[in-house]
Coordinates of all heavy atoms in Angstrom, one line a residue:
Y136 N 48.0 37.1 64.9 CA 49.0 37.5 63.9 C 48.5 38.6 63.1 O 47.3 38.9 63.0 CB 49.4 36.3 63.0 CG 48.3 35.8 62.1 CD1 48.0 36.4 60.9 CD2 47.6 34.7 62.6 CE1 47.0 35.8 60.1 CE2 46.6 34.2 61.8 CZ 46.3 34.8 60.6 OH 45.3 34.2 59.7
V137 N 49.4 39.3 62.4 CA 49.0 40.3 61.4 C 49.6 39.9 60.1 O 50.6 39.1 60.0 CB 49.5 41.7 61.7 CG1 48.8 42.2 62.9 CG2 51.0 41.8 61.9
I138 N 49.0 40.3 58.9 CA 49.5 39.8 57.6 C 49.5 41.0 56.7 O 48.6 41.9 56.8 CB 48.6 38.6 57.2 CG1 49.3 37.9 56.0 CG2 47.2 39.1 56.8 CD1 48.7 36.5 55.7
A139 N 50.4 41.0 55.7 CA 50.4 42.0 54.7 C 51.1 41.4 53.4 O 51.9 40.6 53.5 CB 51.2 43.3 55.1
G140 N 50.7 41.9 52.3 CA 51.2 41.4 51.1 C 50.6 42.0 49.8 O 50.0 43.0 49.8
A141 N 50.9 41.3 48.7 CA 50.4 41.8 47.4 C 49.8 40.6 46.6 O 50.2 39.4 46.9 CB 51.5 42.4 46.6
S142 N 49.0 40.9 45.6 CA 48.3 39.8 44.8 C 48.3 40.2 43.4 O 48.3 41.4 43.0 CB 46.9 39.6 45.3 OG 46.8 39.4 46.7
I143 N 48.2 39.2 42.5 CA 47.9 39.3 41.1 C 46.6 38.6 40.9 O 46.3 37.5 41.6 CB 49.0 38.9 40.2 CG1 49.3 37.4 40.4 CG2 50.2 39.8 40.3 CD1 50.4 36.8 39.4
L144 N 45.8 39.0 39.9 CA 44.5 38.5 39.7 C 44.1 38.4 38.2 O 44.5 39.4 37.5 CB 43.4 39.3 40.5 CG 42.0 38.9 40.4 CD1 41.3 39.2 41.7 CD2 41.3 39.7 39.2
Y145 N 43.5 37.3 37.8 CA 43.0 37.2 36.4 C 41.6 36.9 36.4 O 41.1 35.9 37.1 CB 43.9 36.2 35.7 CG 43.4 36.0 34.3 CD1 43.7 37.0 33.3 CD2 42.7 34.9 33.8 CE1 43.4 36.9 32.0 CE2 42.3 34.8 32.5 CZ 42.6 35.8 31.6 OH 42.2 35.7 30.3
D146 N 40.8 37.6 35.6 CA 39.3 37.4 35.5 C 39.1 36.5 34.3 O 39.4 36.8 33.2 CB 38.7 38.8 35.4 CG 37.2 38.7 35.3 OD1 36.6 37.5 35.4 OD2 36.5 39.7 35.2
L147 N 38.4 35.4 34.6 CA 38.0 34.4 33.5 C 36.8 34.8 32.8 O 36.5 34.2 31.7 CB 37.8 33.0 34.2 CG 39.1 32.5 34.9 CD1 38.7 31.2 35.7 CD2 40.2 32.2 34.0
S148 N 36.0 35.7 33.2 CA 34.8 36.1 32.5 C 35.0 36.8 31.2 O 36.0 37.5 31.1 CB 33.9 36.9 33.5 OG 34.5 38.1 33.8
K149 N 34.1 36.7 30.3 CA 34.3 37.2 28.9 C 33.1 38.1 28.4 O 32.9 38.3 27.2 CB 34.5 36.1 27.9 CG 35.7 35.2 28.2 CD 37.0 35.9 28.1 CE 38.2 35.0 28.3 NZ 39.5 35.7 28.2
D150 N 32.3 38.6 29.3 CA 31.1 39.4 28.9 C 31.6 40.7 28.3 O 32.3 41.4 28.9 CB 30.2 39.6 30.1 CG 28.8 40.1 29.7 OD1 28.6 40.2 28.5 OD2 28.0 40.3 30.6
K151 N 31.1 41.0 27.1 CA 31.6 42.2 26.3 C 30.5 43.3 26.1 O 30.7 44.5 26.1 CB 32.2 41.8 25.0 CG 33.4 40.9 25.1 CD 34.6 41.6 25.8 CE 35.8 40.7 25.8 NZ 36.9 41.3 26.6
E152 N 29.2 42.9 25.8 CA 28.2 43.8 25.5 C 27.4 44.3 26.8 O 26.3 43.9 27.1 CB 27.2 43.1 24.5 CG 27.8 42.8 23.2 CD 28.3 44.1 22.4 OE1 27.4 45.0 22.4 OE2 29.4 44.1 22.0
T153 N 28.1 45.0 27.6 CA 27.6 45.6 28.8 C 28.1 47.1 28.9 O 29.0 47.5 28.2 CB 28.2 44.8 30.0 OG1 29.6 44.8 30.0 CG2 27.6 43.4 30.1
P154 N 27.4 47.9 29.8 CA 27.8 49.3 29.9 C 29.3 49.5 30.1 O 29.9 50.4 29.5 CB 26.9 49.8 31.0 CG 25.7 49.0 31.0 CD 26.2 47.6 30.5
I155 N 29.8 48.8 31.0 CA 31.3 48.8 31.3 C 31.9 47.4 31.3 O 31.2 46.5 31.6 CB 31.7 49.6 32.6 CG1 31.1 48.9 33.8 CG2 31.3 51.0 32.5 CD1 31.5 49.4 35.2
V156 N 33.1 47.3 30.9 CA 33.9 46.0 30.9 C 35.2 46.2 31.7 O 35.9 47.2 31.5 CB 34.1 45.6 29.5 CG1 35.1 44.4 29.5 CG2 32.9 45.2 28.8
F157 N 35.4 45.3 32.6 CA 36.7 45.3 33.3 C 37.8 44.6 32.6 O 37.5 43.6 31.9 CB 36.5 44.7 34.7 CG 36.0 45.7 35.8 CD1 35.4 46.9 35.4 CD2 36.2 45.4 37.1 CE1 35.1 47.8 36.4 CE2 35.8 46.3 38.1 CZ 35.2 47.5 37.7
K158 N 39.0 45.1 32.7 CA 40.2 44.4 32.2 C 40.4 43.1 32.9 O 40.0 43.0 34.1 CB 41.4 45.2 32.3 CG 41.4 46.6 31.5 CD 42.6 47.4 31.8 CE 42.5 48.8 31.1 NZ 43.6 49.7 31.5
P159 N 41.0 42.1 32.3 CA 41.2 40.8 33.0 C 42.2 40.8 34.1 O 42.1 40.0 35.1 CB 41.5 39.9 31.9 CG 42.2 40.7 30.8 CD 41.4 42.1 30.9
F160 N 43.3 41.6 34.0 CA 44.4 41.6 35.0 C 44.2 42.7 36.0 O 43.8 43.8 35.7 CB 45.7 41.7 34.3 CG 46.1 40.4 33.6 CD1 46.0 40.3 32.2 CD2 46.7 39.3 34.4 CE1 46.3 39.1 31.6 CE2 47.0 38.2 33.7 CZ 46.9 38.1 32.3
D161 N 44.5 42.4 37.3 CA 44.5 43.3 38.4 C 45.7 43.0 39.3 O 46.1 41.8 39.3 CB 43.2 43.4 39.1 CG 43.1 44.6 40.1 OD1 43.9 45.5 39.9 OD2 42.3 44.5 41.0
Y162 N 46.2 43.9 40.0 CA 47.1 43.7 41.1 C 46.7 44.5 42.3 O 46.2 45.6 42.1 CB 48.6 44.0 40.7 CG 48.8 45.3 40.0 CD1 49.3 46.4 40.8 CD2 48.6 45.5 38.7 CE1 49.5 47.6 40.2 CE2 48.8 46.7 38.1 CZ 49.2 47.8 38.8 OH 49.4 49.0 38.3
S163 N 47.0 44.1 43.5 CA 46.5 44.7 44.7 C 47.4 44.5 45.8 O 48.3 43.7 45.8 CB 45.1 44.2 45.0 OG 45.2 42.8 45.3
I164 N 47.2 45.2 46.9 CA 47.8 45.0 48.2 C 46.8 44.7 49.3 O 45.6 45.0 49.1 CB 48.6 46.3 48.6 CG1 47.7 47.5 48.7 CG2 49.8 46.6 47.7 CD1 48.3 48.8 49.2
H165 N 47.2 44.1 50.3 CA 46.3 43.7 51.4 C 47.0 43.7 52.7 O 48.2 43.5 52.8 CB 45.7 42.3 51.1 CG 46.7 41.2 51.0 ND1 47.1 40.7 49.7 CD2 47.3 40.5 51.9 CE1 48.0 39.8 49.9 NE2 48.2 39.6 51.3
I166 N 46.2 43.9 53.8 CA 46.6 43.8 55.1 C 45.5 43.1 55.9 O 44.3 43.1 55.4 CB 46.9 45.2 55.8 CG1 45.6 46.1 55.7 CG2 48.1 45.9 55.2 CD1 45.8 47.4 56.5
G167 N 45.8 42.5 57.0 CA 44.8 41.8 57.7 C 45.3 41.3 59.1 O 46.5 41.6 59.5
L168 N 44.4 40.8 59.9 CA 44.7 40.2 61.2 C 43.9 39.0 61.4 O 42.8 38.8 60.9 CB 44.5 41.3 62.3 CG 43.1 41.6 62.6 CD1 43.0 42.3 64.0 CD2 42.5 42.6 61.6
G169 N 44.5 38.1 62.1 CA 43.9 36.8 62.4 C 44.4 36.2 63.7 O 45.2 36.8 64.4
C170 N 44.0 34.9 63.9 CA 44.4 34.2 65.1 C 44.5 32.7 64.7 O 43.4 32.1 64.3 CB 43.4 34.4 66.2 SG 43.9 33.7 67.8
D171 N 45.7 32.1 64.9 CA 45.8 30.6 64.8 C 45.1 30.0 66.0 O 45.4 30.4 67.2 CB 47.3 30.3 64.8 CG 48.0 30.7 63.5 OD1 47.3 31.0 62.5 OD2 49.2 30.8 63.5
T172 N 44.2 29.1 65.7 CA 43.5 28.4 66.8 C 43.9 26.9 66.7 O 43.7 26.3 65.7 CB 42.0 28.5 66.7 OG1 41.7 29.9 66.7 CG2 41.3 27.9 67.9
Y173 N 44.5 26.4 67.7 CA 45.1 25.0 67.7 C 44.0 24.0 68.2 O 43.7 24.0 69.4 CB 46.4 24.9 68.5 CG 47.5 25.8 68.1 CD1 47.5 27.2 68.3 CD2 48.5 25.3 67.3 CE1 48.5 28.0 67.9 CE2 49.5 26.1 66.8 CZ 49.5 27.4 67.1 OH 50.5 28.3 66.7
L174 N 43.5 23.3 67.3 CA 42.5 22.2 67.6 C 43.2 20.9 67.8 O 44.4 20.8 67.5 CB 41.4 22.2 66.5 CG 40.7 23.5 66.4 CD1 39.6 23.4 65.2 CD2 40.0 24.0 67.6
P175 N 42.5 19.9 68.3 CA 43.2 18.6 68.5 C 43.9 18.0 67.4 O 45.0 17.4 67.5 CB 42.1 17.7 69.0 CG 41.1 18.6 69.6 CD 41.1 19.8 68.8
F176 N 43.5 18.2 66.1 CA 44.1 17.5 65.0 C 44.5 18.5 63.8 O 45.2 18.1 62.9 CB 43.1 16.5 64.4 CG 42.7 15.5 65.3 CD1 41.4 15.5 65.9 CD2 43.5 14.5 65.7 CE1 41.0 14.5 66.8 CE2 43.1 13.5 66.6 CZ 41.9 13.5 67.2
F177 N 44.2 19.7 63.9 CA 44.6 20.7 62.9 C 44.5 22.1 63.5 O 44.0 22.4 64.5 CB 43.8 20.5 61.6 CG 42.3 20.9 61.8 CD1 41.8 22.1 61.6 CD2 41.4 19.8 62.2 CE1 40.5 22.4 61.8 CE2 40.1 20.1 62.4 CZ 39.6 21.4 62.2
K178 N 45.1 23.1 62.7 CA 45.0 24.5 63.0 C 43.8 25.1 62.2 O 43.7 24.9 61.0 CB 46.3 25.2 62.7 CG 47.3 25.2 63.7 CD 48.3 26.3 63.7 CE 49.0 26.5 62.4 NZ 50.0 27.5 62.5
F179 N 43.0 25.9 62.9 CA 41.9 26.7 62.3 C 42.2 28.1 62.5 O 42.4 28.6 63.6 CB 40.6 26.3 62.9 CG 39.5 27.2 62.5 CD1 39.0 27.2 61.2 CD2 38.9 28.0 63.4 CE1 37.9 28.0 60.9 CE2 37.8 28.9 63.1 CZ 37.3 28.9 61.8
C180 N 42.3 28.9 61.4 CA 42.8 30.2 61.4 C 41.8 31.2 60.8 O 41.8 31.4 59.5 CB 44.2 30.4 60.8 SG 45.3 29.1 61.2
P181 N 40.9 31.9 61.5 CA 40.1 32.9 61.0 C 40.9 34.2 60.7 O 41.7 34.6 61.6 CB 39.0 33.1 62.0 CG 39.6 32.7 63.3 CD 40.6 31.6 62.9
E182 N 40.6 34.8 59.6 CA 41.4 36.1 59.3 C 40.5 37.1 58.6 O 39.7 36.8 57.8 CB 42.6 35.7 58.3 CG 43.4 36.9 57.8 CD 44.5 36.4 56.9 OE1 45.3 35.6 57.3 OE2 44.4 36.8 55.7
L183 N 40.7 38.3 59.0 CA 40.0 39.4 58.4 C 40.9 40.2 57.5 O 42.0 40.7 58.1 CB 39.4 40.4 59.5 CG 38.5 41.5 59.0 CD1 37.3 41.0 58.3 CD2 38.1 42.4 60.2
R184 N 40.7 40.4 56.3 CA 41.6 40.9 55.3 C 41.0 42.1 54.6 O 39.8 42.0 54.1 CB 42.1 39.9 54.4 CG 43.2 40.4 53.3 CD 43.5 39.4 52.3 NE 44.3 38.3 52.9 CZ 44.7 37.2 52.2 NH1 44.5 37.1 50.9 NH2 45.3 36.2 52.8
F185 N 41.8 43.2 54.4 CA 41.3 44.3 53.6 C 42.2 44.4 52.3 O 43.4 44.4 52.4 CB 41.5 45.6 54.4 CG 40.7 45.6 55.7 CD1 41.3 45.1 56.9 CD2 39.5 46.1 55.8 CE1 40.6 45.1 58.1 CE2 38.7 46.1 57.0 CZ 39.3 45.6 58.1
N186 N 41.5 44.4 51.2 CA 42.2 44.4 49.9 C 41.9 45.7 49.1 O 40.7 46.1 49.0 CB 41.6 43.2 49.0 CG 41.7 41.9 49.8 OD1 42.7 41.2 49.9 ND2 40.5 41.5 50.4
L187 N 42.9 46.2 48.4 CA 42.8 47.4 47.7 C 43.5 47.2 46.3 O 44.7 47.0 46.3 CB 43.4 48.6 48.3 CG 43.3 50.0 47.6 CD1 41.9 50.4 47.3 CD2 44.1 51.0 48.4
G188 N 42.7 47.3 45.2 CA 43.3 47.2 43.9 C 44.0 48.4 43.5 O 43.6 49.5 43.9
L189 N 45.1 48.2 42.7 CA 45.9 49.4 42.3 C 45.8 49.8 40.9 O 46.1 50.9 40.5 CB 47.4 49.1 42.6 CG 47.8 48.8 44.1 CD1 49.3 48.4 44.2 CD2 47.4 49.9 45.0
A190 N 45.3 48.9 40.0 CA 45.2 49.1 38.6 C 43.8 49.7 38.2 O 42.8 49.5 38.9 CB 45.3 47.8 37.9
D191 N 43.8 50.5 37.2 CA 42.6 51.0 36.6 C 41.9 49.9 35.8 O 42.5 49.4 34.8 CB 42.8 52.2 35.7 CG 41.6 52.7 34.9 OD1 40.5 52.4 35.3 OD2 41.7 53.4 33.9
M192 N 40.8 49.4 36.2 CA 40.2 48.2 35.7 C 39.3 48.4 34.4 O 38.9 47.5 33.8 CB 39.4 47.5 36.7 CG 40.2 47.0 37.9 SD 41.6 45.9 37.3 CE 40.6 44.5 36.6
I193 N 39.0 49.7 34.2 CA 38.1 49.9 33.1 C 38.7 49.8 31.7 O 39.9 50.3 31.4 CB 37.5 51.4 33.1 CG1 36.7 51.5 34.3 CG2 36.8 51.8 31.9 CD1 35.3 50.8 34.3
D194 N 38.1 49.0 30.8 CA 38.5 48.9 29.4 C 38.0 50.1 28.7 O 36.8 50.2 28.3 CB 38.0 47.5 28.8 CG 38.4 47.3 27.4 OD1 39.1 48.2 26.9 OD2 38.1 46.2 26.9
H195 N 38.9 51.0 28.4 CA 38.4 52.3 27.8 C 38.3 52.2 26.3 O 37.6 53.0 25.6 CB 39.4 53.4 28.1 CG 39.4 53.7 29.6 ND1 38.5 54.6 30.2 CD2 40.3 53.4 30.6 CE1 38.8 54.7 31.5 NE2 39.8 54.0 31.8
R196 N 38.9 51.2 25.6 CA 38.9 51.2 24.2 C 37.8 50.4 23.6 O 37.2 50.8 22.6 CB 40.2 50.5 23.7 CG 41.5 51.4 24.1 CD 42.8 50.8 23.5 NE 43.1 49.5 24.1 CZ 44.1 48.8 23.7 NH1 44.9 49.2 22.7 NH2 44.4 47.7 24.3
R197 N 37.4 49.3 24.2 CA 36.2 48.5 23.8 C 36.2 48.2 22.3 O 35.3 48.5 21.5 CB 34.9 49.2 24.1 CG 34.7 49.7 25.5 CD 34.5 48.6 26.5 NE 33.3 47.8 26.3 CZ 32.1 48.1 26.8 NH1 32.0 49.2 27.6 NH2 31.1 47.4 26.5
K198 N 37.3 47.6 21.8 CA 37.5 47.3 20.4 C 36.5 46.5 19.7 O 36.1 46.8 18.6 CB 38.8 46.6 20.2 CG 40.1 47.5 20.4 CD 41.4 46.7 20.1 CE 42.6 47.6 20.3 NZ 43.9 46.8 20.0
N199 N 35.9 45.5 20.4 CA 34.9 44.6 19.8 C 33.5 45.0 20.2 O 32.6 44.1 20.0 CB 35.2 43.2 20.3 CG 36.6 42.7 19.8 OD1 37.0 43.0 18.7 ND2 37.3 42.0 20.7
L200 N 33.2 46.2 20.6 CA 31.9 46.5 21.0 C 31.0 46.7 19.8 O 31.4 47.4 18.9 CB 32.0 47.9 21.8 CG 30.7 48.4 22.4 CD1 30.1 47.5 23.4 CD2 30.8 49.8 22.9
K201 N 29.8 46.1 19.8 CA 28.9 46.2 18.7 C 27.9 47.3 18.9 O 27.5 48.0 17.9 CB 28.2 44.8 18.6 CG 29.1 43.7 18.2 CD 28.3 42.4 18.1 CE 29.3 41.2 17.8 NZ 28.5 39.9 17.7
D202 N 27.4 47.5 20.1 CA 26.5 48.6 20.4 C 27.2 49.8 20.9 O 27.6 49.9 22.0 CB 25.5 48.1 21.5 CG 24.4 49.1 21.8 OD1 24.4 50.2 21.2 OD2 23.5 48.8 22.6
E203 N 27.4 50.8 20.0 CA 28.2 52.0 20.2 C 27.6 52.8 21.3 O 28.2 53.7 21.9 CB 28.4 52.8 19.0 CG 29.3 52.0 18.0 CD 30.7 51.8 18.4 OE1 31.2 52.6 19.4 OE2 31.4 50.9 18.0
T204 N 26.3 52.7 21.5 CA 25.6 53.6 22.6 C 26.1 53.3 24.0 O 25.9 54.1 24.9 CB 24.1 53.4 22.5 OG1 23.7 52.0 22.8 CG2 23.5 53.7 21.1
L205 N 26.7 52.1 24.2 CA 27.2 51.7 25.5 C 28.4 52.5 25.8 O 28.9 52.5 27.0 CB 27.4 50.2 25.5 CG 26.2 49.3 25.4 CD1 26.7 47.9 25.4 CD2 25.2 49.6 26.5
M206 N 29.1 53.1 24.9 CA 30.4 53.9 25.1 C 30.1 55.0 26.0 O 31.1 55.5 26.7 CB 31.0 54.3 23.8 CG 31.8 53.2 23.2 SD 33.2 52.6 24.2 CE 34.2 54.0 24.4
Q207 N 28.9 55.5 26.2 CA 28.6 56.7 27.0 C 29.0 56.4 28.5 O 29.4 57.3 29.2 CB 27.2 57.2 26.8 CG 26.2 56.2 27.2 CD 24.8 56.7 26.9 OE1 24.5 57.8 27.3 NE2 23.9 55.8 26.4
Y208 N 28.7 55.2 28.9 CA 29.0 54.8 30.2 C 30.5 54.7 30.5 O 31.0 55.1 31.6 CB 28.3 53.5 30.6 CG 26.8 53.5 30.4 CD1 26.2 52.9 29.2 CD2 26.0 54.1 31.3 CE1 24.9 52.9 29.0 CE2 24.6 54.2 31.1 CZ 24.0 53.6 29.9 OH 22.7 53.6 29.7
T209 N 31.2 54.0 29.6 CA 32.6 54.0 29.7 C 33.3 55.3 29.7 O 34.2 55.6 30.4 CB 33.2 53.1 28.5 OG1 32.6 51.8 28.6 CG2 34.7 53.0 28.6
D210 N 32.9 56.2 28.8 CA 33.5 57.6 28.7 C 33.3 58.4 29.9 O 34.0 59.3 30.2 CB 32.9 58.3 27.5 CG 33.3 57.7 26.1 OD1 34.3 56.9 26.1 OD2 32.6 57.9 25.1
A211 N 32.2 58.1 30.7 CA 32.0 58.8 31.9 C 32.9 58.5 33.1 O 32.9 59.2 34.1 CB 30.6 58.7 32.3

Side-chain angles (χ1 to χ4, degrees):
Y136 65 85
V137 295
I138 196 166
S142 306
I143 58 173
L144 179 146
Y145 181 74
D146 185 358
L147 299 174
S148 60
K149 300 294 183 182
D150 196 1
K151 299 297 183 183
E152 294 297 312
T153 53
I155 59 174
V156 170
F157 271 20
K158 297 175 184 176
F160 285 99
D161 190 17
Y162 52 95
S163 64
I164 56 175
H165 59 263
I166 59 172
L168 70 163
C170 186
D171 292 341
T172 304
Y173 298 80
L174 300 179
F176 300 106
F177 62 92
K178 277 203 304 185
F179 170 67
C180 314
E182 177 182 300
L183 186 64
R184 180 184 294 181
F185 301 87
N186 310 276
L187 179 62
L189 302 178
D191 175 18
M192 296 303 298
I193 294 293
D194 182 355
H195 294 279
R196 295 184 293 175
R197 307 291 297 272
K198 288 183 177 180
N199 299 320
L200 182 64
K201 297 178 181 178
D202 184 357
E203 294 294 335
T204 62
L205 295 176
M206 277 302 297
Q207 60 183 318
Y208 303 102
T209 299
D210 291 339

